[in-house]
Amino acid sequence: MGLTLPIELFQQAKRTMISQQEKVLLSWVCELPDGAAKRVFDQGNEAFKGERFFWQNKERTLRLAGLGATDQLHVEQGQDRFLMLHTRKEQVLRQTVTNSEETACGAVYFGGFSFDDQHDTSPEWERFGEGFFYLPLFLVTEKEDCCYLSVNVWLSEHDDYEKIEAVMAQWDKLISSPIRSNPDVACISEERLAEDAWLLAAEDVVALLQEVTSMQKVVLARRMRLGFDGFISSSRIIAHMEEQQANSYCFVLENGTSTFFGATPERLLLADVDHLESACVAGSIARGETAGEDAILGETLLSDAKNLAEHHFVVEMIEATLARFCKDVQVSASPTLLKNRDIQHLYMTVSGQRGEAKMLDVLRELHPTPALGGWPQAEAMAVIRLKEEADRGFYGAPIGWIDPLDRGEFAVAIRSALVTGTNALLYAGCGIVADSVPAEELAETAIKFQPMLRVLGGRVHERS
């Protein structure tokens, strides 16, 4: 396409470097005619495999594709992960020379946090740690009928314009690369992990909740392991999620030979210049085989006392949290149904006027909501640590993006899976309350595995 980064911006960056006496991030943003985030992601399979991300919001009005890592943040246990990302972002902003303040463009960090930074990290999650984010070399932002390319390059005092020319040559080579078809892989093994232990844990939690009436809910998660006869393609994963999982965020985060991905319906926090918004998603029931059956199931969910109580905990907590940071907090009138292909949930929104709130401060206070942890939060987390042996990793935790001006969006990473080599770990959870029946809760988690089973196994895993 012959894009050329203006030499004037390069010269401005060099002057800034001299005055600040430190390296500078040159972040160039330009319109990309006929650009498409998914296509560029696919074209980067050979040159950037293992250093790519993809994000598509629930409304499908924003797509991001990042390739290459100009900067990377890996948070170890014991470090303040939210503060570390905020500090890194602000430090890089002070060192940035850019030609644009377009939302979701420029020096955008993408990644996620672990569910519980007090849990020992298991081997499959070591690459991601307690938080993992990176600033891409190339970022394609597709929104509002426009497409933008952001090029993020560190410059030191010894760099000349030839470095920029080399980077742009790399871009030209990337977008001229053919999109190679990925071979189909077959699922050759399927293992539901520790079901009996999970049922026993659920029974113990029910007994505890019946005894300790100040606790209302504890969310317990479990896992499945799938084995494949080859390596799973991120491009195929995205294509399947887009095709099968409407009304959901779609995300892929590659880190070497590990890939975390999902199709989640749940927004945790949307932040623009003067507005914050969160979603309350809790309570669930299956979809019906016919329109009539589906409507009956939906009405059952809307009138079910147990599910309404679970949802109310989430609404109360999110409303109280946003009220600490926002003015004029608004809560939608009553629960509606959020319908995905395999499952439907109770859904409401909470929003407010932002003021001076820092996005990551709000995110820290929101996570985990009662939908993924329980209520009260601290007590529920203590029970989870006692009763869950497996590391949730990034499952159920915030994943998303934040731009230089503290705008961004994070979703809750449910309906998700971790691929390592030729294996995949799938995660699902459900809220345990005092009148829960463990066998019924186990059946609910089976429904929640279904979206990722479908994505990984095509249409083999259709519900009967």
Side-chain angles (χ1 to χ4, degrees):
M1 297 174 69
L3 294 175
T4 302
L5 192 153
I7 193 168
E8 295 82 4
L9 189 63
F10 171 80
Q11 291 169 340
Q12 180 186 346
K14 293 289 281 187
R15 289 193 298 270
T16 303
M17 186 189 316
I18 293 169
S19 65
Q20 294 183 352
Q21 296 184 330
E22 62 179 355
K23 65 180 182 179
V24 165
L25 180 75
L26 193 159
S27 183
W28 177 54
V29 181
C30 68
E31 286 200 36
L32 192 62
D34 303 318
K38 174 61 165 57
R39 186 179 71 234
V40 172
F41 182 94
D42 294 345
Q43 288 174 307
N45 184 57
E46 293 189 13
F48 292 101
K49 186 175 177 59
E51 282 191 349
R52 294 183 297 173
F53 66 76
F54 181 84
W55 168 271
Q56 178 175 269
N57 67 0
K58 188 160 66 77
E59 298 79 13
R60 301 199 174 188
T61 57
L62 175 68
R63 292 180 178 87
L64 303 176
L67 299 94
T70 291
D71 186 40
Q72 190 174 102
L73 177 67
H74 186 281
V75 183
E76 303 289 348
Q77 195 167 29
Q79 297 175 317
D80 187 328
R81 55 214 179 133
F82 295 99
L83 178 60
M84 285 189 69
L85 177 58
H86 177 77
T87 301
R88 177 69 65 87
K89 178 184 72 70
E90 292 297 301
Q91 178 185 358
V92 169
L93 178 61
R94 289 193 297 271
Q95 296 175 261
T96 298
V97 171
T98 185
N99 66 322
S100 174
E101 294 183 352
E102 188 72 39
T103 303
C105 294
V108 173
Y109 280 85
F110 182 91
F113 299 99
S114 66
F115 178 79
D116 182 8
D117 62 352
Q118 295 185 37
H119 196 292
D120 290 337
T121 303
S122 58
E124 67 268 17
W125 286 105
E126 284 179 353
R127 284 184 172 272
F128 295 91
E130 304 304 334
F132 177 76
F133 287 82
Y134 64 88
L135 165 67
L137 172 62
F138 301 119
L139 172 67
V140 176
T141 304
E142 194 179 338
K143 61 172 185 172
E144 299 165 0
D145 299 323
C146 292
C147 193
Y148 301 90
L149 169 67
S150 302
V151 181
N152 297 300
V153 184
W154 284 111
L155 294 177
S156 66
E157 59 179 328
H158 302 296
D159 291 325
D160 56 26
Y161 193 72
E162 288 182 358
K163 179 173 184 176
I164 300 300
E165 291 176 326
V167 169
M168 297 313 297
Q170 193 175 8
W171 168 256
D172 288 340
K173 182 178 180 181
L174 167 68
I175 55 148
S176 63
S177 301
I179 297 175
R180 304 186 187 282
S181 60
N182 296 286
D184 288 324
V185 297
C187 181
I188 57 176
S189 65
E190 182 177 305
E191 182 183 4
R192 290 170 168 79
L193 301 175
E195 279 192 354
D196 290 342
W198 191 90
L199 281 169
L200 288 173
E203 290 171 1
D204 289 347
V205 171
V206 168
L208 176 65
L209 294 173
Q210 290 173 348
E211 180 180 346
V212 183
T213 56
S214 61
M215 290 186 64
Q216 283 85 39
K217 176 183 178 183
V218 175
V219 178
L220 290 180
R222 69 185 191 97
R223 304 182 301 166
M224 287 183 65
R225 178 182 291 117
L226 305 181
F228 297 84
D229 62 359
F231 294 102
I232 302 166
S233 158
S234 293
S235 294
R236 281 191 178 273
I237 286 170
I238 295 169
H240 286 164
M241 288 193 296
E242 286 189 322
E243 175 190 357
Q244 301 165 7
Q245 302 300 326
N247 211 19
S248 297
Y249 294 88
C250 295
F251 64 86
V252 168
L253 177 61
E254 294 182 345
N255 185 3
T257 57
S258 298
T259 301
F260 181 57
F261 67 94
T264 173
E266 189 168 348
R267 169 183 289 154
L268 185 57
L269 184 64
L270 171 68
D272 59 25
V273 173
D274 55 8
H275 177 83
L276 296 177
E277 183 173 312
S278 184
C280 310
V281 180
S284 60
I285 200 166
R287 298 295 306 272
E289 296 290 346
T290 66
E293 182 186 353
D294 194 60
I296 292 170
L297 287 168
E299 289 301 317
T300 300
L301 180 60
L302 286 168
S303 59
D304 182 74
K306 172 183 175 292
N307 281 291
L308 286 168
E310 283 191 55
H311 189 255
H312 183 66
F313 300 148
V314 179
V315 176
E316 278 197 326
M317 182 268 193
I318 292 177
E319 180 183 10
T321 301
L322 287 194
R324 297 204 298 271
F325 295 95
C326 297
K327 297 178 180 179
D328 191 27
V329 173
Q330 302 289 323
V331 182
S332 55
S334 58
T336 59
L337 294 174
L338 175 64
K339 293 177 179 283
N340 301 113
R341 182 165 181 171
D342 300 285
I343 193 167
Q344 47 191 322
H345 300 278
L346 298 173
Y347 175 83
M348 291 175 67
T349 61
V350 182
S351 61
Q353 297 303 308
R354 177 174 181 175
E356 300 299 318
K358 295 181 176 63
M359 183 180 188
L360 291 165
D361 286 345
V362 184
L363 203 68
R364 179 205 300 273
E365 296 303 312
L366 284 172
H367 174 71
T369 72
L372 271 299
W375 192 252
Q377 187 185 74
E379 290 85 344
M381 289 297 293
V383 175
I384 290 170
R385 291 174 187 132
L386 183 66
K387 292 298 179 181
E388 276 188 26
E389 293 185 5
D391 179 14
R392 292 191 187 186
F394 279 25
Y395 164 73
I399 188 161
W401 60 273
I402 185 168
D403 77 8
L405 298 184
D406 214 42
R407 303 164 298 197
E409 186 167 21
F410 281 78
V412 181
I414 57 174
R415 311 296 122 78
S416 57
L418 174 70
V419 169
T420 305
T422 58
N423 294 293
L425 280 172
L426 281 61
Y427 295 79
C430 62
I432 308 297
V433 295
D435 59 351
S436 287
V437 178
E440 294 177 359
E441 303 293 352
L442 186 71
E444 180 180 313
T445 62
I447 297 171
K448 292 175 178 178
F449 280 132
Q450 189 62 41
M452 290 302 99
L453 281 170
R454 192 189 304 280
V455 165
L456 289 168
R459 302 183 184 279
V460 175
H461 296 280
E462 294 278 3
R463 283 188 295 120
S464 58

